[in-house]
Amino acid sequence: MRTIDTTGCVVSSYFEVALNYVLIGLSSRSLTARWNTFPMAGAAADLNFLKEEKQRLRGVLEEKEEILRKLNLIKTLKEKGDNDQLDTLSAKWREACQQAILELHSMQPEPRPSLSTMLNSWNIDYKMIEFNDDEESFG
């Protein structure tokens, strides 16, 4: 937060206020009077806002670092030419996803919605899980 002191200088801290008074040679009495009118409530509110913003940004940074870690792992696997392992892991997770979807579908009360209706309501891409909507099956 910035303010204009009695000398017409723009300042943002007590240090700048004191420095301005020293440079222009005003008495310590006028410096004390100026300090007593410095807007502390606004500074405290700004400080609290900045602390909250810092915490929020730390959380965002941690999320982005985790995504970056995963992407670097995939990049490393691809660079090593270990695509077979990556393909195996992808197939394993796709199969687990298919099993979970079938299990959740079987838990639905009668009359059960179709698999394609259920997948559409969850915004799941058919290609990602190799779902054939014409046959209502995986594969």
Side-chain angles (χ1 to χ4, degrees):
M1 172 166 42
R2 295 211 176 274
T3 189
I4 298 176
D5 71 359
T6 55
T7 64
C9 298
V10 176
V11 294
S12 63
S13 69
Y14 286 110
F15 175 76
E16 289 181 17
V17 170
L19 184 61
N20 287 341
Y21 278 85
V22 168
L23 290 175
I24 59 173
L26 295 177
S27 69
S28 62
R29 174 182 263 181
S30 59
L31 177 60
T32 304
R34 177 66 186 123
W35 255 333
N36 291 336
T37 61
F38 201 78
M40 283 302 292
D46 286 346
L47 183 61
N48 286 337
F49 170 77
L50 290 174
K51 285 180 180 178
E52 291 170 3
E53 186 68 7
K54 180 180 176 182
Q55 285 299 102
R56 185 188 69 77
L57 290 173
R58 278 190 178 159
V60 170
L61 179 63
E62 288 173 5
E63 290 174 14
K64 299 298 181 187
E65 285 175 341
E66 180 63 18
I67 291 170
L68 182 61
R69 185 191 67 78
K70 290 177 182 178
L71 289 173
N72 282 332
L73 177 63
I74 292 170
K75 178 184 172 190
T76 302
L77 288 173
K78 284 186 177 181
E79 286 175 352
K80 286 182 178 178
D82 209 357
N83 289 338
D84 293 336
Q85 182 184 6
L86 187 59
D87 292 339
T88 303
L89 289 173
S90 295
K92 176 183 174 182
W93 284 106
R94 185 178 307 108
E95 185 178 327
C97 180
Q98 292 170 351
Q99 295 286 338
I101 289 169
L102 291 173
E103 189 173 328
L104 287 171
H105 185 258
S106 69
M107 298 168 88
Q108 295 292 314
E110 293 292 339
R112 290 187 182 113
S114 68
L115 279 172
S116 57
T117 304
M118 216 169 72
L119 294 173
N120 286 334
S121 70
W122 294 337
N123 295 324
I124 296 177
D125 184 15
Y126 293 167
K127 292 178 188 174
M128 293 290 290
I129 58 171
E130 296 181 355
F131 179 72
N132 184 339
D133 60 338
D134 294 332
E135 298 176 13
E136 289 282 318
S137 64
F138 295 103

